[in-house]
């Protein structure tokens, strides 16, 4: 009765809060269904609340009582009964325990609810977790498909060691103990001999926050290598030069204008949570503007789809900026307060009066050339359309939610300026850190500090952070094969984790050449849940858990808010709740599948069993001194100590913080937008502080308190005059931005000091595929090879049968005009030649692409060299034949065929095509500033030749190395330009930041 | 309680989450879908758009699949959900023919029909269907249409909604907000043999439209069929094109789009198996022979065209029974679950013409069989001739009625197939009778080569054969194919038969071999050549083969058109 009353009262409250002027004939208020803003189910209604479909929440009480629920009520999650769907309509009851976890397919970390059958302990299915603040119980196609990955008959279940030559495909099963002993011994030896830099940990999808900072710092290595420069270096650099933080966090839901240079209604960081909120905004009347050369699903739903010539995006954005500037429709007060215009004027126009009016004049001069006509000429988009879009932006009233991540910033030389130009619009409209605007990721992210955080390492690894790229975001991971070929170093032990560089990176053949060279690559350890092209070239293949088989903490800036989510091994949790003792997650996992947290703890323990290397201390339990920490203790301590509000929320429900997270899987730390830059400097920092009279920067000598949140921030050490901690604005000391000027750096002194004076302000750099270098008459085209599909995620979804059934090929998008010129029709074979080779693929003739440009999704073209059980759902069997030194030919032997396995569906595979692996034919194109691999390719198209077969690939790796040298020549190495003898501006973000001493260039390398 | 779905295409982002959530919830095997998302691209660059549409069972208020199901395996619950029971289904696939939305498939594991059942197993524990829960945009709304305050009722009341194929009279309860006509109408968008990211492995397809060279197009206009005639006023006009086929060469295009080959194209869709293949046309032929023989037998003796011949009666009845038996075998063979055939008898659903047909066939077989035994008994002097003779008119009359019903019931069954407009022809029953007489006559003529028929019998058969050939040809050419069709789907199917994939079967098989050749032989024979064994055999084979080819085209062509 009490529950019903509560529910009724809630319904009434929700109604009254959104009383609509519309009244039905009966006079009762009609809920504003269209404008309904779904939100995550409210835990405060617990216990007893019937969790409802979020967006159905405004339904009146009657509907509430009579309607269906989206989820079983939380208080029944331990004991939930449902009818067996296979036996239906016979009513066979099945008993489940519902355990929350987190999806591991893309980076969004959406909530899942694993249905563990209480009788068989099998996982029946995954639904959404309604208590997850980011995904709010809803998922994309990849969420439910997690089940395919867990029950993939082809997954790796036991540790394997190579038996023959590397890459030969011969494996023997080994025990985990053997693996750990071997690796522990090997790494101990390397560390004892000071060969720390020969150990590299290369990760694709981290899937967790904070863990590796803890592990690698404990080892004292600068070993971290990421996939960032095939993904987001361009965008990161653009954002970071502005504000120190390198990632946007748009509050789409409350925006008036959503401006995307991304395809967040179908893919991208954070597809599902963003897509929910973008469409909410659109339904509430926001305008959706999408810049994308190809017709993405996102573009399809946009109010304005702009299909620019690839690389011209910044020209369009600056034309919009110019419109705002010239019509005076920018937030003058915001710009005056928060932009480092004084610094700009003093540096570039010292003779002129340093007033805001001067700056405004300069803005008009600087951007006057970016007329709509200019942008139209560069982009091919009609000037009138750009004008309309500029008008929309001008009308955004400080509520501009914008986003770019891969897309143009990842495609073009100078792509980082696209992000910079986009953020310029947020700056001009004052849409930063406000409701409906865009925040910085770090403001909305929480990475809890572990119980014992090791110090920063005292080493600099030049294999990942080379001299040539002092401003890169981040590691130059794509250049590793070339660095090794050049003899810049060797690798003793190379860990790849959820990473498939042979397939994902450009120039995969060079990766294969290096991975098979045992002199350059001592030992390759592949941590993976499933087979991949890279795992094939490993010495150890170590099976790691999928989303439902591991613990991780994740926190993503999905919206205006802040949350953490807890990925859980759902069977382990179910077993424990049923009273069974589980000491290690692998005990509850299939085969001998481990989770990384336990692996790294165990390995670290074996590297330093006696504590003599100083590593062991970090892996001792905070609860049992001197003993090895368990994974659960590692998380438990954080939940108890470094997640604000969680202990209290747990206590309210009579739970420990760990029990709370076990039960609900997520915790919302803050709802709503909050920006630190307008908050006052913390009182304790102001105790020993002074304000620089000229710059009004507030410096404090108080030591920085250890934050419970270890989300990376720019670093500003105390060089004697205190640390910059804020900005004097009027009579207030506000925190400001994480930049040396504490302001938004329209003008980047860093870029000037580090050798790029021509790029200090938001600008437009001609891409390497600018129309002037494309000879369309010679059948030269720009290839956009970067786009993702809504159903797949790189190579992690190859074992998801439901996803591959929907999408399994990647034809080349060609405009009908170009197709007619080349004599192509849909499904005709076409040869696409790059700088280093070619591939043969089918055409898809469509009006959804700009003439002169072709596009091909990177998601397809998986392959395997042997017909053993290896991702047979999604890979073609190929022959890889050397054609002489550095020349490789790949040819499809057969596509996908049905096969026998424990899953009867494998016999029902009906598709055979798996697409073509185009990335093999791309050379590396590292942007000289951001380090971003500039994905777009200048290609030559021709109808396939008689000898060509579908899927043919040819690559010349010598030529690939030559192209690498050409791009390397564009750089300004630190040793030549560093203003202070350091390798990189210390303040700039750097993951796994070493000590300040390690930033010093070795003597003799510094030119001055 | 009256459950329905609403898909808000304003919000749908085409992410396919509903597709995989459904597969997960209902453990749907590879190759088939209970819900899927169709993509259609339209417009000329840069004004191109991709439209999405979520497809599934419409939970029709008046579900044709339920009406045609012979065993109540497909049924409508009182809460409006159209559900199926795989434990009862015999796998006749009639529901797949009845569904105008391509929503039903045969489950590869159970070999029974399956489709979206509104997750009724969830609904009964108070949960929304899995697709509703997963949808990131809350673009799929489930709920009670009877409750005016439910979200679905309010949206339907306040927004402009549409349904698929309302003209089928199925009263769909799957409503769409802002679904595009190019996705709603299956024939609006052509497709090639592959999609934007998937292959298409299916027999079901509509003609692929190929663009004419750009220079032949008229800018700004329809492009095709440039001025061919002059109106009375002198203005240049286009010649009218074939009725019911839409615009020849593809959908209507606008503006500059007429210059583009791919103005409208299907970019993604689910594929659907064709339910009925060769056994169905074969069954039509054998049933025609079996029923036609008895009709002729009854007519010949009943109307006293010929004196009663016990030998002829016995042989003809035996032939009739054999062919009706063969018919039953073909029917059972074509079931996905043939061992469940008798379910039709144990739990008949009387609205279904499959049920009615089964009972007609059984009734006919029983009656004809009993009569055969009686006449046989009399023939072998086990039974008094007088008794048999007295019963004879009763058997002939009842047998005649049942034979006619056996011949024509398929017309009513095809009429129940809401998904195949071509089959829904009012001419079909009469056509089936004529076909039955035509093949039966020629088969009996063949019989006459073994047991000499009395002259008047032979003559009557020849006349029947000739007349039915003429009438059938008339029905085919002028009735089924000469007469314009009421719907585009029927017109397209007819076009496929007369001008498309089946034109060889149709003109060469059905018309030439099946009618013109036997007619020529008849004329030759009648004009003095006589009817030798070879002559009759050729005529019979040509007629039967022609009928089979005709029925094959007639059965297959409509099934190859997409209903989604």
């Amino acid at each position: 009765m009490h529950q019903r009353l509560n529910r009724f009262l809630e319904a009434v409250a929700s109604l009254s809060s959104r009383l609509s002027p519309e009244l039905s004939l009966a006079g009762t208020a009609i809920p504003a269904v269209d404008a309904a803003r779904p939100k995550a189910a409210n835990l405060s209604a617990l216990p007893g609340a019937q969790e409802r479909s979020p967006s159905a929440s405004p339904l009146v009480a009657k509907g509430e009582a009579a309607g269906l629920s989206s989820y079983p009520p939380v208080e029944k999650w331990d004991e939930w009964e449902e009818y067996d769907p296979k036996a239906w309509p016979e009513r066979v009851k099945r008993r489940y325990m519902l355990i929350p976890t987190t999806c591991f397919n893309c980076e969004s970390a959406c909530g899942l609810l694993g249905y563990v059958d209480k009788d068989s302990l099998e996982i029946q299915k995954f639904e959404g977790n309604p208590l997850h603040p980011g995904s709010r119980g809803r998922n994309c196609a990849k969420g439910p498909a997690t089940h395919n990955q867990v029950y993939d008959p082809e997954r790796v279940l036991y540790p394997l060691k190579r038996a023959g030559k590397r890459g030969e495909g011969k494996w023997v099963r080994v025990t985990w103990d053997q693996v750990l002993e071997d690796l522990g011994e090997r790494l101990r030896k390397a560390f004892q001999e000071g060969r720390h830099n020969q150990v590299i940990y290369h990760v694709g999808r981290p899937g967790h926050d904070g863990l590796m900072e803890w592990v690698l710092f404990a080892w004292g290595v600068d070993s971290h290598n990421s996939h960032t420069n095939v993904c987001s270096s361009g965008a990161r650099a653009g954002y970071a030069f502005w504000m120190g933080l390198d990632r946007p966090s748009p509050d789409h839901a409350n925006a008036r204008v959503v401006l995307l240079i991304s395809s967040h209604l179908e893919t991208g960081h954070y597809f599902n949570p963003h897509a929910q909120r973008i469409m909410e905004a659109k339904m509430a009347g926001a305008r959706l503007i999408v810049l994308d050369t190809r017709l993405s699903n996102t573009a399809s739903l946009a109010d304005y789809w702009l299909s620019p010539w690839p690389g011209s995006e910044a020209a369009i954005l600056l034309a919009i900026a110019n419109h705002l500037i010239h019509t005076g429709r920018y937030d003058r007060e915001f710009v005056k307060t928060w932009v480092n215009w004084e610094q700009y004027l003093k540096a570039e126009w010292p003779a002129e009066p340093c007033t805001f009016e001067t700056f405004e004049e300069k803005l008009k001069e600087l951007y006057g050339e970016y007329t709509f006509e200019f942008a139209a000429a560069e982009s091919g988009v009609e000037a009138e359309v750009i004008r309309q879009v500029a008008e929309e932006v001008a009308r955004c009233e400080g509520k501009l939610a914008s986003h770019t991540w891969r897309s143009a910033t990842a495609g073009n030389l100078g792509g980082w300026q696209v992000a910079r130009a986009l953020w310029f619009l947020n700056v001009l409209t004052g849409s930063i850190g406000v409701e409906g605007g865009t925040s910085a990721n770090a403001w909305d992210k929480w990475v809890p500090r572990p119980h014992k955080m090791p110090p920063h390492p005292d080493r600099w690894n030049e294999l990942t952070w080379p001299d040539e790229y002092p401003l890169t975001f981040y590691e130059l991971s794509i250049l590793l094969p070339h660095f090794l070929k050049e003899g810049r170093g060797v690798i003793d032990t190379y860990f790849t984790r959820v990473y498939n560089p042979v397939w994902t990176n450009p120039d995969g053949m060079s990766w294969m050449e290096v991975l098979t060279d045992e002199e350059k690559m001592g030992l390759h350890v592949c941590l993976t849940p499933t087979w991949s092209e890279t795992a094939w070239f490993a010495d150890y293949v170590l099976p790691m858990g999928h989303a439902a088989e591991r613990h991780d903490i994740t926190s993503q800036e999905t919206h205006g808010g802040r949350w953490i989510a807890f990925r859980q091994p759902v069977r382990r949790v179910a077993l424990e709740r049923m009273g069974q003792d589980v000491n290690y997650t692998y005990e509850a996992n299939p085969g001998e599948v481990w989770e990384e947290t336990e692996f790294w703890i165990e390995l670290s323990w074996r590297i330093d069993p006696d504590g003599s290397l100083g590593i062991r201390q970090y892996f001792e339990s905070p609860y049992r001194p001197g003993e090895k920490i368990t994974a659960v203790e590692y998380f438990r301590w954080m939940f108890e100590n470094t997640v604000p509000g969680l202990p209290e929320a747990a206590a309210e429900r009579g739970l420990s913080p760990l029990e709370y997270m076990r039960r609900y899987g997520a915790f919302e730390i803050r709802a709503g937008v909050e920006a630190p830059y307008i908050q006052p400097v913390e009182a304790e920092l102001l105790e020993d502080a002074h304000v620089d009279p000229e710059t009004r920067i507030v410096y404090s000598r108080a030591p920085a308190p250890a934050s419970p949140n270890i989300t990376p921030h720019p670093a500003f050490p105390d060089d004697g005059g205190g640390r910059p901690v804020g900005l004097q604005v009027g009579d207030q000391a506000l925190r400001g931005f994480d930049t040396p000027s504490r302001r938004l750096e329209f003008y980047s002194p860093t870029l000037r000091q580090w050798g790029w004076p021509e790029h200090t302000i938001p600008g437009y750099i001609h891409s390497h595929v600018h129309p002037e270098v494309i000879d369309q008459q010679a059948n030269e085209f720009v290839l956009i090879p970067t786009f993702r599909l809504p159903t797949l995620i790189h190579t992690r979804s190859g074992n998801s049968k439901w996803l591959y059934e929907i999408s399994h090929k990647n034809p080349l998008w060609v405009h009908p005009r170009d197709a007619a010129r080349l004599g192509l029709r849909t499904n005709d074979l076409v040869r696409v030649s790059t700088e280093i080779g070619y591939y043969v693929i089918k055409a898809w003739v469509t009006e959804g692409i700009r003439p002169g440009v072709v596009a091909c999704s990177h998601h397809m073209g998986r392959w395997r060299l042997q017909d053993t059980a290896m991702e047979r759902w999604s890979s073609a069997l190929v022959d890889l034949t050397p054609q002489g030194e550095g020349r490789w030919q790949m040819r499809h032997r057969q596509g996908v065929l049905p096969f026998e396995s424990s899953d009867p569906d494998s016999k029902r595979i009906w598709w055979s095509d798996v697409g073509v692996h185009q990335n093999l034919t791309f050379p590396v194109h590292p942007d000289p500033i951001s380090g971003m691999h500039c994905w777009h390719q200048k290609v030559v198209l021709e109808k396939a030749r008689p000898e060509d077969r579908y899927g043919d690939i040819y690559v010349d790796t010598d030529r690939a190395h030559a192209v690498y040298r050409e791009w390397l020549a564009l750089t300004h190495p630190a040793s030549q330009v560093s203003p202070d003898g350091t390798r990189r501006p210390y303040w700039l973000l750097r993951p796994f930041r070493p000590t300040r001493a390690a930033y010093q260039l070795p003597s003799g390398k510094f030119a001055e | 309680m009256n459950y329905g779905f609403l898909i808000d295409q304003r919000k749908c982002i085409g992410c396919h989450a509903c597709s995989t959530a459904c597969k997960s919830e209902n453990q749907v095997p590879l190759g088939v879908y209970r819900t899927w998302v169709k993509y259609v691209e339209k417009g000329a660059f840069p004004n191109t758009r991709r439209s999405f549409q979520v497809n599934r069972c419409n939970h029709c208020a008046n579900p044709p699949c339920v009406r045609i199901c012979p065993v109540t395996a497909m049924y409508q619950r009182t809460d409006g959900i159209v559900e199926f029971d795989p434990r009862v289904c015999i796998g006749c696939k009639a529901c797949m023919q009845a569904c105008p939305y391509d929503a039903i498939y045969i489950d590869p594991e159970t070999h029974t029909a399956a489709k979206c059942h509104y997750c009724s197993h969830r609904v009964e524990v108070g949960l929304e269907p899995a697709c509703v829960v997963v949808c990131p945009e809350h673009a799929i709304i489930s709920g009670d249409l009877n409750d005016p305050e439910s979200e679905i009722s309010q949206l339907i009341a306040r927004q402009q909604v549409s349904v698929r194929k309302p003209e089928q009279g199925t009263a769909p309860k799957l409503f769409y907000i802002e679904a595009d006509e190019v996705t709603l109408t299956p024939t609006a968008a052509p497709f090639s043999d592959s999609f934007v990211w998937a292959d298409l492995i299916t027999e079901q397809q509509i003609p692929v439209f190929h663009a004419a060279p750009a220079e032949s197009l008229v800018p700004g206009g329809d492009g095709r069929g440039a001025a061919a005639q002059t109106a009375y006023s002198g203005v240049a006009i286009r010649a009218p094109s074939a009725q019911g086929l839409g615009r020849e060469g593809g959908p209507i295009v606008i503006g500059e789009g007429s210059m583009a080959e791919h103005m409208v194209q299907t970019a993604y869709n689910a594929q659907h198996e064709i339910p009925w293949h060769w056994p169905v046309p074969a069954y039509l032929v054998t049933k025609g022979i079996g029923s036609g023989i008895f009709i002729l037998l009854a007519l010949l003796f009943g109307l006293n065209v010929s004196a009663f011949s016990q030998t002829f009666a016995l042989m003809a009845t035996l032939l009739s029974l054999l062919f009706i038996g063969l018919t039953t075998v073909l029917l059972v063979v074509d079931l996905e679950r043939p061992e469940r055939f008798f379910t039709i008898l144990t739990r008949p659903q009387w609205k279904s013409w499959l049920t009615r047909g089964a009972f007609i066939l059984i009734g006919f077989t029983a009656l004809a069989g009993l009569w055969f035994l009686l006449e046989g008994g009399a023939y072998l002097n086990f039974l008094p001739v007088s008794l048999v003779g007295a019963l004879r008119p009763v058997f002939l009359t009842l047998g005649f009625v049942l034979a006619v019903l056996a011949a024509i019931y398929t017309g009513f069954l095809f009429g129940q197939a809401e998904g195949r407009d071509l089959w829904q022809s009012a001419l079909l029953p009469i056509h089936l009778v004529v076909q039955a007489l035509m093949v039966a006559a020629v088969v009996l003529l063949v019989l006459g080569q073994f047991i000499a028929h009395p002259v008047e019998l032979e003559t009557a058969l020849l006349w029947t054969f000739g007349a039915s050939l003429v009438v059938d040809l008339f029905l085919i050419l002028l009735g089924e194919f000469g007469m314009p069709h009421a719907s585009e789907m029927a017109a397209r199917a007819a076009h496929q038969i007369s001008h498309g994939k089946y034109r060889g079967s149709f003109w060469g098989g059905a018309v030439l071999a099946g009618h013109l050749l036997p007619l020529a032989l008849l004329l030759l024979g009648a004009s003095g050549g006589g009817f030798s064994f070879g002559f009759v055999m050729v005529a019979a084979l040509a007629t039967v083969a022609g009928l089979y080819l005709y029925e094959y085209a007639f059965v297959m062509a409509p099934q190859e058109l997409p209903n989604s």
Side-chain angles (χ1 to χ4, degrees), chain A residues 413 466-472 476 479 483 488 754-756 758 925-932 963-977:
Chain A
L413 176 70
D467 179 45
E468 288 89 342
Y469 296 90
L471 301 176
T472 174
L476 262 299
L479 302 188
F483 290 165
R488 293 195 187 198
W754 288 76
W756 300 96
E758 68 275 36
H925 289 160
D927 183 275
I929 294 176
S930 70
M932 178 74 225
V963 175
Y964 149 73
R965 300 292 308 176
E966 288 166 23
W967 281 71
L968 197 64
L970 303 175
T971 61
H972 295 174
S975 53
Q976 291 170 22
V977 300

Side-chain angles (χ1 to χ4, degrees), chain B residues 531-546:
Chain B
F531 299 98
S532 67
F533 177 74
F535 220 75
V536 173
M537 286 306 289
V538 169
L541 283 174
T543 308
V544 172

Side-chain angles (χ1 to χ4, degrees), chain A residues 55 69-70 86 88 91 124-125 127 138 141 275 295 297 300 805 808-809 827 845-847 908 910, chain B residues 20 23 25 27 31 41 45 48 50 83 109 120 122 124 126 128 135 137-138 197 199 201 260 265:
Chain A
S55 60
S69 299
S70 295
K86 285 288 247 193
W88 188 259
R91 285 166 172 72
Q124 169 77 8
K125 61 180 170 182
E127 291 194 11
R138 302 176 180 280
L295 180 74
N297 290 354
S300 241
E805 181 178 29
H808 42 257
K809 63 191 288 190
N827 259 4
V845 182
T846 175
E847 293 280 347
R908 299 189 195 111
W910 54 266
Chain B
T20 63
K23 287 227 158 180
E25 176 64 38
Q27 296 173 37
E41 297 176 353
F45 181 87
T48 324
R50 191 175 294 123
E83 194 172 59
E109 260 174 26
S120 54
R122 288 172 63 95
E124 290 206 4
E128 291 172 330
C135 178
E137 304 298 352
H138 194 54
W197 60 39
D199 274 320
I201 299 171
Q265 69 177 349

Side-chain angles (χ1 to χ4, degrees), chain A residues 310-326:
Chain A
S312 66
E313 292 82 357
I316 293 175
L317 297 170
L318 293 177
I320 299 170
N322 183 36
H323 182 66
L324 301 179
I325 292 164
H326 272 262

Side-chain angles (χ1 to χ4, degrees), chain A residues 163-304:
Chain A
K165 284 178 61 176
R166 199 182 285 159
E168 204 184 336
K170 290 183 180 158
W171 305 95
V172 290
R173 185 175 153 184
V174 288
T175 67
W176 274 101
D177 197 52
Q178 286 169 313
V179 173
L180 289 159
E181 205 48 44
D182 183 17
L183 292 178
E185 179 72 28
R186 191 179 175 96
L187 292 171
R188 180 166 66 244
K189 190 156 178 285
F191 297 159
Q192 280 170 340
E193 292 171 4
R195 293 184 287 110
H196 293 75
N197 282 354
Q198 291 184 10
V199 177
I200 298 233
Y201 163 77
H202 204 161
V203 63
R205 169 75 51 237
H208 51 220
D209 286 319
L211 176 74
M212 292 316 288
E213 280 84 346
W214 177 55
V215 173
L216 296 180
F217 282 3
W219 293 4
V221 293
D222 182 25
S223 282
H224 184 263
N225 204 358
S226 68
H227 75 286
T228 306
N229 76 333
V230 294
C231 174
S232 57
S233 299
R236 286 178 192 269
Y239 284 112
F241 292 137
W242 260 114
M243 59 167 168
L245 299 170
D246 63 352
R247 197 157 170 158
S249 175
D251 180 27
H252 288 309
N254 300 300
R256 282 187 59 89
V257 175
V258 176
L259 174 50
L260 303 174
I261 309 181
S262 62
S263 54
H264 275 90
L265 293 180
E266 63 195 307
T267 67
H269 289 245
Y270 308 108
F271 161 36
N272 166 40
H274 273 198
Q276 293 183 22
R277 293 165 174 92
I278 291 168
M279 290 310 283
E280 268 170 51
K282 197 178 172 218
M283 293 302 287
R287 306 299 273 176
L288 176 57
I289 302 161
V290 173
L291 272 70
D292 198 334
T293 308
R294 74 177 181 103
L295 180 74
S296 63
N297 290 354
T298 316
S300 241
L301 288 158
D303 296 299
Y304 297 92

Side-chain angles (χ1 to χ4, degrees), chain B residues 116-192:
Chain B
C116 161
H117 65 127
Y118 209 91
C119 282
S120 54
H121 63 291
R122 288 172 63 95
V123 168
E124 290 206 4
V125 293
L127 292 177
E128 291 172 330
C131 58
V132 176
V133 176
V134 80
C135 178
E137 304 298 352
H138 194 54
I140 306 176
I141 293 126
S142 59
D144 181 9
L145 298 167
N146 285 351
D147 175 1
E149 293 191 72
S150 67
E151 186 185 11
I152 189 171
S153 294
Q154 296 206 357
L155 277 169
I156 290 173
R158 291 162 50 198
Q159 299 292 333
Q160 191 171 346
V161 295
S162 48
V163 295
R164 287 163 66 199
K165 298 193 186 174
E167 74 282 0
Q168 296 293 344
T170 55
K173 286 188 289 149
L174 170 57
F175 298 91
Y176 293 94
I177 297 178
E178 278 191 21
D180 197 311
E181 201 55 44
V182 295
T183 56
L184 283 170
T185 307
T187 50
F191 50 76
S192 77

Side-chain angles (χ1 to χ4, degrees), chain A residues 441-724:
Chain A
N441 68 323
W443 306 343
D444 291 338
K445 190 174 170 79
W446 191 274
V447 182
R449 176 179 290 275
H451 65 287
K452 189 165 183 177
M453 197 62 194
H456 294 248
D458 192 15
R459 290 180 180 82
W460 188 279
N461 198 330
E462 292 186 352
L463 279 178
T464 44
W465 296 91
D467 179 45
E468 288 89 342
Y469 296 90
L471 301 176
T472 174
F473 279 75
Y474 294 120
E475 303 91 345
L476 262 299
S477 68
I478 52 166
L479 302 188
L480 190 62
H482 298 287
F483 290 165
L484 294 175
K485 282 184 174 184
E486 284 178 337
R488 293 195 187 198
V490 294
I491 295 178
D492 177 87
T493 307
Y494 182 61
F495 292 96
T496 50
R497 193 196 140 231
V498 196
Y499 195 41
N500 191 2
V502 170
W503 191 91
T504 306
N505 282 5
D507 195 11
M509 295 295 186
S510 291
W511 280 86
M512 261 185 287
E513 287 174 351
V514 166
L515 284 173
T516 47
D517 185 339
E518 294 182 28
E519 284 180 15
K520 296 188 172 76
M521 188 66 75
L523 186 82
H524 173 199
V525 183
C526 185
L527 310 175
T528 177
T530 183
W531 280 104
S532 72
E533 287 77 356
T534 299
W536 193 253
F537 297 97
D539 299 295
Y540 282 118
V541 176
L542 305 181
M544 293 292 163
H546 284 297
E549 299 164 344
R550 49 186 297 126
H551 292 96
D552 294 301
I553 290 184
T554 46
S555 171
Q556 309 291 24
E557 64 285 5
T558 52
H559 61 287
R562 195 177 232 176
W563 52 265
I564 62 163
F566 194 27
R567 184 173 289 126
Q568 304 199 76
V570 300
R571 284 215 289 215
R572 173 182 178 155
V573 177
L575 279 168
E576 286 174 344
R577 206 164 288 170
M578 289 178 203
Q580 219 164 309
D581 276 344
V582 185
N583 295 315
Y584 294 95
T585 297
Y586 58 76
E587 295 169 12
N589 280 350
E592 291 177 7
V593 172
W594 277 42
E595 64 164 307
E596 274 96 337
T597 309
E598 289 175 351
F599 172 76
W600 296 118
I601 292 172
E602 195 62 39
L603 179 58
S604 301
W605 199 262
R606 297 208 193 200
I607 293 171
D608 188 18
D610 55 5
S612 59
L613 293 179
I615 294 173
R616 178 185 149 133
Q617 55 177 312
Y618 302 104
F619 299 92
E620 289 175 358
S621 165
Y623 302 102
R624 297 170 293 117
E627 291 186 58
K628 187 165 55 185
I629 192 172
T630 67
V632 174
E633 285 174 337
Y634 168 76
F635 294 107
R636 175 188 155 191
W637 190 91
M638 291 188 274
F639 295 149
E640 288 173 358
N641 295 281
T642 50
V643 181
L646 174 55
E648 295 77 11
E652 259 179 55
R653 284 158 192 89
L655 301 171
S656 75
L658 175 66
E659 284 168 343
Y660 182 102
M661 293 303 284
R662 278 261 188 258
R663 191 159 289 275
Y664 305 128
F667 179 70
E668 186 169 57
I669 295 172
R670 185 195 78 223
V673 174
E674 196 178 286
Y677 74 93
I678 37 175
Q679 290 167 3
V681 175
E682 295 89 330
E684 61 267 33
L685 293 180
L686 285 177
E687 273 167 26
D688 188 7
H690 66 277
V691 180
D692 182 303
E694 198 188 325
T695 62
R696 298 191 305 285
I697 296 172
V698 182
Y699 292 92
S700 169
R701 290 205 172 80
S707 168
N709 179 3
I710 58 168
T711 302
H713 278 263
F716 300 97
D718 186 347
D719 280 329
R723 297 180 304 113

